[in-house]
Amino acid sequence: MKEQLIVIVGPTAVGKTALSIKLAKKYHGEVISGDSMQVYKGMDIGTAKVTDEEQDGVPHYLIDIKHPQESFSVAEFQDTCIPLISQINRKKHIPLLVGGTGLYVNAITKQYQFESMPTDEQYRQELEQLVSEIGNESLHNKLREVDPKAAERIHPNNVRRVIRALEVTHVTQIPFSEQQGEEQTESPYSLAFIGLTMDRERLYERINQRVDLMMEQGLLEEVRALYDAGIRGCQSVQAIGYKELYDYFEGNSSLDETIDLLKQNSRRYAKRQLTWFRNKTDATWFDMTDGLTDQTFQEISSFIEGKLPFISK
Protein backbone atom coordinates (compact mmCIF):
# COMPACT_ATOMS: atom_id res chain seq x y z
CA MET A 1 0.00 0.00 0.00
CA LYS A 2 1.30 3.47 -0.87
CA GLU A 3 2.39 5.85 1.87
CA GLN A 4 0.01 8.72 2.55
CA LEU A 5 0.89 12.36 1.96
CA ILE A 6 -1.00 15.65 2.17
CA VAL A 7 0.51 18.50 0.14
CA ILE A 8 -0.47 22.15 0.61
CA VAL A 9 0.79 24.72 -1.90
CA GLY A 10 -0.07 28.28 -2.77
CA PRO A 11 1.39 31.77 -2.97
CA THR A 12 3.04 33.56 -0.10
CA ALA A 13 0.62 34.98 2.53
CA VAL A 14 -2.35 32.88 1.36
CA GLY A 15 -2.69 30.99 4.66
CA LYS A 16 -0.80 27.71 4.20
CA THR A 17 0.67 27.66 7.71
CA ALA A 18 -2.62 28.11 9.56
CA LEU A 19 -4.32 25.41 7.49
CA SER A 20 -1.45 22.96 7.92
CA ILE A 21 -1.50 23.28 11.72
CA LYS A 22 -5.26 22.81 11.87
CA LEU A 23 -5.14 19.74 9.61
CA ALA A 24 -2.20 18.30 11.54
CA LYS A 25 -4.20 18.62 14.75
CA LYS A 26 -7.15 16.84 13.16
CA TYR A 27 -5.29 14.00 11.46
CA HIS A 28 -2.30 13.32 13.75
CA GLY A 29 -0.12 15.12 11.25
CA GLU A 30 3.49 16.26 11.15
CA VAL A 31 4.61 19.11 8.92
CA ILE A 32 7.53 19.09 6.48
CA SER A 33 8.49 22.53 5.16
CA GLY A 34 8.66 22.67 1.37
CA ASP A 35 10.24 26.12 1.36
CA SER A 36 13.76 26.55 0.00
CA MET A 37 14.61 29.42 2.38
CA GLN A 38 13.15 28.24 5.69
CA VAL A 39 16.01 25.73 5.92
CA TYR A 40 18.32 28.59 6.94
CA LYS A 41 19.07 29.47 10.55
CA GLY A 42 18.75 33.13 11.48
CA MET A 43 16.36 33.84 8.61
CA ASP A 44 13.09 33.73 10.49
CA ILE A 45 11.15 36.93 9.89
CA GLY A 46 11.88 37.37 6.19
CA THR A 47 10.93 33.78 5.34
CA ALA A 48 7.74 33.92 7.46
CA LYS A 49 9.02 30.89 9.36
CA VAL A 50 6.43 29.24 11.60
CA THR A 51 7.01 30.24 15.23
CA ASP A 52 7.06 27.84 18.19
CA GLU A 53 3.77 29.33 19.30
CA GLU A 54 2.18 28.82 15.88
CA GLN A 55 3.43 25.22 15.74
CA ASP A 56 1.27 24.54 18.79
CA GLY A 57 3.05 21.27 19.52
CA VAL A 58 2.89 19.95 15.94
CA PRO A 59 6.28 18.50 14.88
CA HIS A 60 7.94 20.43 12.05
CA TYR A 61 10.86 19.34 9.85
CA LEU A 62 13.38 20.88 7.42
CA ILE A 63 13.42 24.21 9.25
CA ASP A 64 16.72 25.65 10.56
CA ILE A 65 18.90 22.84 9.20
CA LYS A 66 21.44 24.94 7.29
CA HIS A 67 23.68 27.92 7.96
CA PRO A 68 23.14 30.86 5.58
CA GLN A 69 26.56 30.33 3.99
CA GLU A 70 25.59 26.81 2.87
CA SER A 71 23.83 25.87 -0.33
CA PHE A 72 20.78 23.62 -0.42
CA SER A 73 19.71 21.91 -3.62
CA VAL A 74 16.42 20.37 -4.66
CA ALA A 75 18.18 16.99 -4.86
CA GLU A 76 19.34 17.37 -1.25
CA PHE A 77 15.82 18.34 -0.26
CA GLN A 78 14.49 15.21 -1.96
CA ASP A 79 17.08 13.00 -0.25
CA THR A 80 16.09 14.41 3.13
CA CYS A 81 12.34 14.62 2.66
CA ILE A 82 11.53 11.16 1.28
CA PRO A 83 12.85 9.29 4.36
CA LEU A 84 10.94 11.73 6.60
CA ILE A 85 7.68 10.89 4.83
CA SER A 86 8.32 7.20 5.39
CA GLN A 87 9.26 7.78 9.03
CA ILE A 88 6.05 9.71 9.73
CA ASN A 89 3.92 7.09 7.95
CA ARG A 90 5.51 4.32 10.02
CA LYS A 91 4.28 6.10 13.15
CA LYS A 92 0.76 5.97 11.68
CA HIS A 93 0.83 9.75 11.46
CA ILE A 94 0.17 11.84 8.35
CA PRO A 95 2.96 13.89 6.76
CA LEU A 96 1.95 17.30 5.42
CA LEU A 97 4.34 18.78 2.87
CA VAL A 98 3.71 22.53 2.99
CA GLY A 99 5.37 25.22 0.96
CA GLY A 100 5.76 27.64 -1.82
CA THR A 101 8.82 26.26 -3.65
CA GLY A 102 7.21 24.44 -6.55
CA LEU A 103 10.23 22.49 -7.74
CA TYR A 104 10.79 21.13 -4.23
CA VAL A 105 7.19 19.94 -4.00
CA ASN A 106 7.22 18.28 -7.43
CA ALA A 107 10.55 16.64 -6.66
CA ILE A 108 8.64 14.72 -3.99
CA THR A 109 5.23 14.16 -5.58
CA LYS A 110 6.75 13.20 -8.95
CA GLN A 111 10.08 11.97 -7.59
CA TYR A 112 12.43 13.52 -10.13
CA GLN A 113 15.48 11.34 -10.76
CA PHE A 114 18.38 13.70 -10.04
CA GLU A 115 21.11 11.14 -9.59
CA SER A 116 21.24 10.50 -13.34
CA MET A 117 22.15 14.14 -14.04
CA PRO A 118 25.83 14.43 -15.06
CA THR A 119 28.25 16.80 -13.34
CA ASP A 120 31.39 18.72 -14.24
CA GLU A 121 32.93 20.11 -11.06
CA GLN A 122 35.52 22.27 -12.83
CA TYR A 123 32.98 23.86 -15.17
CA ARG A 124 30.65 24.53 -12.23
CA GLN A 125 33.45 26.29 -10.35
CA GLU A 126 34.17 28.39 -13.44
CA LEU A 127 30.52 29.45 -13.55
CA GLU A 128 30.54 30.27 -9.83
CA GLN A 129 33.55 32.50 -10.41
CA LEU A 130 31.92 34.03 -13.50
CA VAL A 131 28.72 35.01 -11.69
CA SER A 132 30.75 36.94 -9.12
CA GLU A 133 32.23 38.93 -12.01
CA ILE A 134 29.25 39.47 -14.32
CA GLY A 135 26.26 39.17 -11.98
CA ASN A 136 23.09 37.07 -11.84
CA GLU A 137 21.30 38.63 -14.81
CA SER A 138 24.22 38.19 -17.20
CA LEU A 139 24.65 34.56 -16.18
CA HIS A 140 20.91 34.04 -16.69
CA ASN A 141 21.26 35.54 -20.17
CA LYS A 142 23.90 32.87 -20.95
CA LEU A 143 21.34 30.24 -20.01
CA ARG A 144 18.73 31.97 -22.16
CA GLU A 145 21.06 31.66 -25.17
CA VAL A 146 21.48 27.89 -24.84
CA ASP A 147 18.15 26.89 -23.26
CA PRO A 148 15.36 29.50 -23.42
CA LYS A 149 12.83 27.14 -21.83
CA ALA A 150 15.00 26.56 -18.79
CA ALA A 151 15.69 30.30 -18.54
CA GLU A 152 11.96 30.97 -18.55
CA ARG A 153 11.42 28.54 -15.67
CA ILE A 154 14.42 29.49 -13.52
CA HIS A 155 14.55 32.91 -11.88
CA PRO A 156 17.81 34.85 -12.39
CA ASN A 157 18.32 35.03 -8.61
CA ASN A 158 18.22 31.24 -8.30
CA VAL A 159 21.91 31.22 -9.15
CA ARG A 160 22.52 27.62 -8.09
CA ARG A 161 19.78 26.39 -10.37
CA VAL A 162 21.01 28.53 -13.30
CA ILE A 163 24.53 27.13 -12.84
CA ARG A 164 23.19 23.57 -12.64
CA ALA A 165 21.21 24.04 -15.86
CA LEU A 166 24.27 25.42 -17.67
CA GLU A 167 26.44 22.61 -16.28
CA VAL A 168 24.13 19.80 -17.41
CA THR A 169 23.64 21.40 -20.82
CA HIS A 170 27.41 21.83 -21.19
CA VAL A 171 28.18 18.20 -20.31
CA THR A 172 25.41 16.54 -22.33
CA GLN A 173 24.97 19.06 -25.15
CA ILE A 174 21.24 18.56 -24.59
CA PRO A 175 19.15 21.44 -23.16
CA PHE A 176 18.55 21.05 -19.43
CA SER A 177 14.82 21.64 -19.94
CA GLU A 178 14.62 18.48 -22.04
CA GLN A 179 16.30 16.38 -19.36
CA GLN A 180 14.76 17.35 -16.04
CA GLY A 181 11.47 15.78 -17.06
CA GLU A 182 12.56 12.40 -15.71
CA GLU A 183 9.62 12.01 -13.37
CA GLN A 184 7.20 9.31 -12.45
CA THR A 185 3.90 9.61 -14.31
CA GLU A 186 2.08 8.38 -11.23
CA SER A 187 2.87 9.71 -7.77
CA PRO A 188 4.50 7.16 -5.45
CA TYR A 189 2.14 8.35 -2.72
CA SER A 190 -1.54 8.22 -1.89
CA LEU A 191 -1.82 11.93 -2.36
CA ALA A 192 -4.19 14.67 -1.28
CA PHE A 193 -2.84 17.70 -3.18
CA ILE A 194 -4.35 21.00 -2.01
CA GLY A 195 -3.82 24.39 -3.64
CA LEU A 196 -4.84 27.59 -1.89
CA THR A 197 -5.80 30.66 -3.84
CA MET A 198 -7.32 34.06 -3.08
CA ASP A 199 -8.76 37.09 -4.79
CA ARG A 200 -5.77 38.89 -6.31
CA GLU A 201 -6.43 42.27 -4.65
CA ARG A 202 -6.97 40.66 -1.26
CA LEU A 203 -3.79 38.62 -1.61
CA TYR A 204 -1.73 41.67 -2.55
CA GLU A 205 -3.21 43.57 0.39
CA ARG A 206 -2.18 40.72 2.72
CA ILE A 207 1.32 40.68 1.24
CA ASN A 208 1.72 44.44 1.79
CA GLN A 209 0.49 44.07 5.38
CA ARG A 210 2.85 41.16 5.96
CA VAL A 211 5.85 43.19 4.81
CA ASP A 212 4.88 46.03 7.18
CA LEU A 213 4.53 43.51 10.01
CA MET A 214 7.91 41.96 9.18
CA MET A 215 9.52 45.38 9.46
CA GLU A 216 7.83 45.91 12.83
CA GLN A 217 9.04 42.50 13.98
CA GLY A 218 12.67 43.35 13.19
CA LEU A 219 13.37 42.29 9.60
CA LEU A 220 15.82 45.16 9.17
CA GLU A 221 17.86 43.97 12.16
CA GLU A 222 17.67 40.32 11.05
CA VAL A 223 19.10 41.11 7.62
CA ARG A 224 21.63 43.57 9.05
CA ALA A 225 23.03 40.75 11.22
CA LEU A 226 23.64 38.64 8.10
CA TYR A 227 25.12 41.59 6.24
CA ASP A 228 27.42 42.49 9.12
CA ALA A 229 28.53 38.86 9.38
CA GLY A 230 29.92 39.21 5.86
CA ILE A 231 27.48 36.79 4.24
CA ARG A 232 27.60 37.66 0.55
CA GLY A 233 26.86 35.95 -2.76
CA CYS A 234 25.08 33.03 -1.09
CA GLN A 235 21.90 31.30 -2.16
CA SER A 236 20.25 32.30 1.14
CA VAL A 237 20.52 36.07 0.80
CA GLN A 238 19.08 36.03 -2.72
CA ALA A 239 15.71 35.53 -1.04
CA ILE A 240 13.10 38.27 -1.33
CA GLY A 241 13.38 40.55 1.67
CA TYR A 242 17.10 39.98 2.01
CA LYS A 243 18.46 41.04 -1.37
CA GLU A 244 16.45 44.30 -1.27
CA LEU A 245 17.74 45.21 2.18
CA TYR A 246 21.29 44.34 1.16
CA ASP A 247 20.94 46.96 -1.59
CA TYR A 248 19.70 49.43 1.03
CA PHE A 249 22.70 48.74 3.28
CA GLU A 250 24.97 49.40 0.31
CA GLY A 251 23.38 52.80 -0.18
CA ASN A 252 21.55 52.05 -3.43
CA SER A 253 18.10 53.10 -2.21
CA SER A 254 16.26 54.77 0.67
CA LEU A 255 14.47 52.66 3.26
CA ASP A 256 11.04 53.71 1.97
CA GLU A 257 12.02 52.81 -1.60
CA THR A 258 13.37 49.48 -0.36
CA ILE A 259 10.15 48.60 1.47
CA ASP A 260 8.08 49.51 -1.60
CA LEU A 261 10.34 47.33 -3.77
CA LEU A 262 10.10 44.48 -1.28
CA LYS A 263 6.30 44.63 -1.45
CA GLN A 264 6.39 44.77 -5.24
CA ASN A 265 8.79 41.82 -5.53
CA SER A 266 6.72 39.80 -3.06
CA ARG A 267 3.55 40.44 -5.09
CA ARG A 268 5.32 39.43 -8.31
CA TYR A 269 6.66 36.30 -6.65
CA ALA A 270 3.15 35.36 -5.49
CA LYS A 271 1.89 35.75 -9.05
CA ARG A 272 4.69 33.51 -10.37
CA GLN A 273 3.96 30.94 -7.67
CA LEU A 274 0.28 30.76 -8.60
CA THR A 275 1.08 30.41 -12.29
CA TRP A 276 3.64 27.68 -11.60
CA PHE A 277 1.40 25.65 -9.31
CA ARG A 278 -1.56 25.89 -11.69
CA ASN A 279 0.51 24.78 -14.67
CA LYS A 280 2.87 22.25 -13.09
CA THR A 281 0.88 20.45 -10.40
CA ASP A 282 -2.29 18.44 -10.02
CA ALA A 283 -3.55 20.47 -7.06
CA THR A 284 -7.25 20.79 -6.29
CA TRP A 285 -7.87 24.46 -5.51
CA PHE A 286 -9.66 26.03 -2.57
CA ASP A 287 -10.43 29.74 -2.23
CA MET A 288 -9.15 31.51 0.88
CA THR A 289 -10.40 35.01 0.11
CA ASP A 290 -12.61 34.97 3.22
CA GLY A 291 -9.94 33.27 5.30
CA LEU A 292 -10.01 29.77 6.73
CA THR A 293 -13.73 29.56 7.43
CA ASP A 294 -15.36 26.52 9.02
CA GLN A 295 -16.96 25.74 5.67
CA THR A 296 -13.66 25.89 3.77
CA PHE A 297 -11.94 23.73 6.38
CA GLN A 298 -14.75 21.19 6.13
CA GLU A 299 -14.50 21.14 2.32
CA ILE A 300 -10.76 20.57 2.51
CA SER A 301 -11.19 17.85 5.15
CA SER A 302 -13.79 16.07 3.03
CA PHE A 303 -11.46 16.25 0.02
CA ILE A 304 -8.61 14.72 2.04
CA GLU A 305 -10.78 11.92 3.39
CA GLY A 306 -11.94 11.14 -0.14
CA LYS A 307 -8.34 10.92 -1.36
CA LEU A 308 -6.90 9.15 1.67
CA PRO A 309 -9.63 6.71 2.79
CA PHE A 310 -7.42 5.07 5.42
CA ILE A 311 -6.59 8.34 7.13
CA SER A 312 -6.69 8.14 10.94
CA LYS A 313 -8.90 10.79 12.46
Side-chain angles (χ1 to χ4, degrees), residues 226-284:
L226 298 169
Y227 185 84
D228 288 348
I231 296 171
R232 302 281 193 281
C234 301
Q235 180 179 347
S236 58
V237 294
Q238 296 301 322
I240 293 171
Y242 296 83
K243 60 183 179 182
E244 293 86 357
L245 284 169
Y246 264 52
D247 273 352
Y248 165 66
F249 295 143
E250 288 169 4
N252 296 328
S253 58
S254 71
L255 186 56
D256 284 344
E257 288 170 339
T258 301
I259 293 169
D260 285 344
L261 181 61
L262 173 47
K263 290 176 179 178
Q264 182 185 80
N265 287 345
S266 297
R267 294 192 301 267
R268 286 176 174 169
Y269 177 57
K271 185 178 179 182
R272 289 200 305 273
Q273 284 176 301
L274 268 172
T275 300
W276 201 98
F277 286 127
R278 286 194 183 282
N279 291 341
K280 303 284 187 182
T281 73
D282 301 320
T284 296

Side-chain angles (χ1 to χ4, degrees), residues 186-204:
E186 181 184 340
S187 178
Y189 300 108
S190 287
L191 196 60
F193 204 137
I194 297 157
L196 302 182
T197 186
M198 184 177 281
D199 171 77
R200 183 70 55 88
E201 283 188 22
R202 176 68 183 128
L203 179 63
Y204 287 176

Side-chain angles (χ1 to χ4, degrees), residues 66-201:
K66 289 280 184 178
H67 292 288
Q69 301 94 322
E70 296 179 286
S71 62
F72 190 65
S73 69
V74 64
E76 189 176 351
F77 172 78
Q78 189 186 60
D79 288 343
T80 314
C81 185
I82 289 172
L84 273 173
I85 293 171
S86 296
Q87 174 189 315
I88 296 166
N89 268 276
R90 281 197 299 271
K91 290 191 281 186
K92 305 297 184 189
H93 287 189
I94 300 296
L96 293 95
L97 177 59
V98 182
T101 305
L103 191 64
Y104 279 33
V105 171
N106 271 10
I108 301 306
T109 60
K110 299 186 177 183
Q111 300 229 330
Y112 293 149
Q113 302 301 307
F114 291 104
E115 64 274 6
S116 61
M117 292 284 200
T119 59
D120 183 332
E121 190 68 35
Q122 183 177 345
Y123 184 70
R124 187 189 314 156
Q125 289 173 359
E126 289 172 8
L127 291 174
E128 287 169 352
Q129 176 61 35
L130 184 64
V131 73
S132 67
E133 297 169 0
I134 66 173
N136 299 359
E137 291 285 349
S138 295
L139 189 74
H140 191 259
N141 287 337
K142 284 178 69 69
L143 178 60
R144 190 177 300 282
E145 289 170 13
V146 297
D147 190 350
K149 285 184 180 177
E152 192 175 319
R153 289 207 292 251
I154 303 171
H155 193 272
N157 289 330
N158 192 346
V159 177
R160 295 281 171 189
R161 193 75 181 147
V162 173
I163 287 174
R164 185 69 178 122
L166 284 166
E167 179 189 8
V168 171
T169 303
H170 170 76
V171 174
T172 64
Q173 297 300 301
I174 300 170
F176 181 65
S177 58
E178 294 177 17
Q179 298 183 62
Q180 66 183 118
E182 289 188 54
E183 60 187 51
Q184 298 189 11
T185 53
E186 181 184 340
S187 178
Y189 300 108
S190 287
L191 196 60
F193 204 137
I194 297 157
L196 302 182
T197 186
M198 184 177 281
D199 171 77
R200 183 70 55 88
E201 283 188 22

Side-chain angles (χ1 to χ4, degrees), residues 51-69:
T51 64
D52 290 344
E53 186 179 356
E54 287 170 333
Q55 289 180 28
D56 197 16
V58 172
H60 279 67
Y61 302 94
L62 300 192
I63 292 173
D64 292 338
I65 62 169
K66 289 280 184 178
H67 292 288
Q69 301 94 322

